């Protein structure tokens, strides 16, 4: 019996290692190729490891494209969208769970139905609205259409419904209103869900390409995803430059995931209800 369990565990770990290798290989190759020279990156078959740590590729990328400005624009836009979605979704979810009003179920069903509408369908109406408000090539045009999310409202509503109803009743008996109950009880207990929504919203906004391409026209407002595409030229494409730019763009995302993972694990224990 012990041998069977050991064999089964070894097989599971072997499969997990293979799967992890497949997932991590593109990321590892991206960072390693960014340290290669142009000659090394163009050889066939492709090399996995560079002959040395050549950092001139990153300097060339920063000289060709104002990537620092693009990263700052993406960070501002992503942080604003993240804050807006967490704030609006948490207040809307609280209303759907703790505030009784007529048509609450119907209104929530309408919110859910918007999740079935492809985002591409709303591009033209959103663009025409932004253009009529003269928000093209501005932070408002990049952020306002994404400050509310039906998915975020759904996620937080489902989490709020799992909180003990007795806490709300006890807070009402103690004279606690909706605002205080929302700020002092619901939000602290919902840190795992809030952190998940924050990471999800930030990464989605960071990876946006089509919408910033439509509403921005100057390098002053461009985002990182557009900056990466500017490293591909019609005459030729130097892949070590492209992958160096991708590496620079990936660093904030990886840092957020590392910090967000710790926050999620901490929130699961801090949000536990003790008797």
């Amino acid at each position: 019996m012990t041998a069977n369990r050991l064999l089964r565990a070894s097989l599971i770990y072997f499969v997990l290692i293979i799967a992890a290798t497949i997932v991590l290989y593109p990321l590892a190759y991206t960072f390693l190729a960014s340290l290669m020279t142009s000659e090394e990156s163009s050889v066939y078959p492709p090399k996995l490891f560079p002959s040395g740590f050549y950092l001139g590729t990153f300097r060339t990328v920063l000289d060709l494209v104002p990537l620092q400005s693009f990263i700052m624009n993406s960070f501002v836009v992503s942080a604003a969208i993240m804050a807006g979605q967490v704030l609006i979704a948490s207040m809307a979810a609280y209303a759907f769970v703790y505030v009784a009003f007529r048509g609450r179920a119907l209104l929530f069903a309408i919110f859910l139905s918007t999740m079935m509408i492809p985002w591409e369908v709303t591009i033209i109406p959103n663009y025409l609205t932004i253009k009529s408000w003269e928000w093209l090539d501005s932070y408002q045009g990049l952020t306002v259409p994404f400050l509310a999310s039906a998915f975020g409202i759904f996620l937080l509503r489902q989490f709020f419904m799992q909180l003990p109803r007795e806490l709300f009743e006890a807070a009402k008996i103690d004279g606690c209103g909706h605002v205080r109950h929302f700020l002092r009880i619901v939000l602290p207990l919902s840190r795992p869900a809030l952190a998940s929504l924050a990471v999800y919203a930030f990464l989605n906004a960071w990876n946006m390409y089509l919408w910033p391409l439509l509403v921005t026209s100057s390098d002053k407002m461009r985002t990182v995803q557009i900056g990466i595409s500017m490293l591909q030229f019609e005459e030729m494409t130097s892949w070590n430059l492209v992958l160096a730019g991708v590496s620079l763009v990936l660093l904030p995302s990886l840092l957020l995931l590392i910090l967000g993972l710790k926050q999620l694990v901490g929130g699961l224990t801090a949000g536990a209800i003790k008797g």
Side-chain angles (χ1 to χ4, degrees):
M1 189 67 177
T2 305
N4 291 336
R5 289 183 178 178
L6 181 61
L7 180 62
R8 187 181 306 172
S10 301
L11 181 61
I12 291 175
Y13 279 111
F14 177 77
V15 173
L16 291 177
I17 291 173
I18 296 298
T21 303
I22 295 174
V23 172
L24 293 177
Y25 173 76
L27 185 63
Y29 181 77
T30 297
F31 286 108
L32 292 174
S34 64
L35 299 174
M36 297 180 184
T37 62
S38 298
E39 292 76 15
E40 285 183 307
S41 63
S42 59
V43 298
Y44 186 84
K47 297 175 60 177
L48 177 59
F49 296 98
S51 58
F53 291 95
Y54 178 68
L55 300 179
T57 308
F58 296 99
R59 188 180 305 109
T60 304
V61 169
L62 297 178
D63 291 338
L64 289 174
V65 177
L67 206 58
Q68 308 96 312
S69 176
F70 295 161
I71 291 177
M72 181 57 64
N73 289 337
S74 287
F75 182 80
V76 171
V77 170
S78 301
I81 291 176
M82 177 188 68
Q85 287 198 15
V86 171
L87 178 62
I88 294 175
S90 60
M91 292 191 297
Y94 181 90
F96 280 125
V97 175
Y98 293 103
V99 180
F101 57 91
R102 293 183 59 182
R104 181 172 62 176
L106 177 61
L107 185 59
F108 182 69
I110 294 175
F111 267 95
L112 288 184
S113 65
T114 62
M115 296 174 61
M116 296 182 288
I117 301 175
W119 181 78
E120 290 77 9
V121 175
T122 63
I123 288 180
I124 294 178
N126 283 337
Y127 178 81
L128 294 177
T129 302
I130 294 300
K131 183 179 179 181
S132 65
W133 290 348
E134 298 182 354
W135 281 1
L136 293 178
D137 208 36
S138 66
Y139 284 123
Q140 302 96 300
L142 288 169
T143 57
V144 171
F146 305 96
L147 292 181
S149 167
F151 170 77
I153 296 174
F154 171 74
L155 175 68
L156 295 184
R157 175 186 178 271
Q158 298 306 112
F159 193 89
F160 289 173
M161 291 179 66
Q162 297 177 9
L163 298 178
R165 196 73 182 185
E166 291 80 5
L167 288 176
F168 179 63
E169 301 297 336
K172 286 180 61 178
I173 294 175
D174 291 341
C176 183
H178 283 295
V179 175
R180 188 177 178 186
H181 177 248
F182 174 69
L183 296 176
R184 301 292 298 273
I185 298 177
V186 174
L187 289 186
L189 293 178
S190 304
R191 279 182 288 181
L194 294 173
S196 300
L197 178 60
V199 173
Y200 174 82
F202 186 93
L203 293 180
N204 267 1
W206 185 270
N207 293 323
M208 281 195 306
Y209 175 78
L210 182 57
W211 181 253
L213 184 64
L214 287 175
V215 301
T216 60
S217 57
S218 65
D219 289 346
K220 183 180 178 181
M221 297 303 303
R222 294 289 194 187
T223 56
V224 289
Q225 305 303 330
I226 302 175
I228 295 300
S229 65
M230 294 170 63
L231 293 172
Q232 301 183 19
F233 307 101
E234 294 183 1
E235 297 81 6
M236 62 168 294
T237 298
S238 184
W239 289 109
N240 64 322
L241 293 179
V242 176
L243 294 178
V246 172
S247 300
L248 292 175
V249 171
L250 282 175
L251 288 178
S253 302
L254 294 176
L255 181 62
L256 177 66
L257 285 176
I258 294 173
L259 297 177
L261 181 62
K262 181 179 179 181
Q263 188 175 5
L264 283 174
V265 176
L268 286 173
T269 56
I273 301 172
K274 299 180 179 180

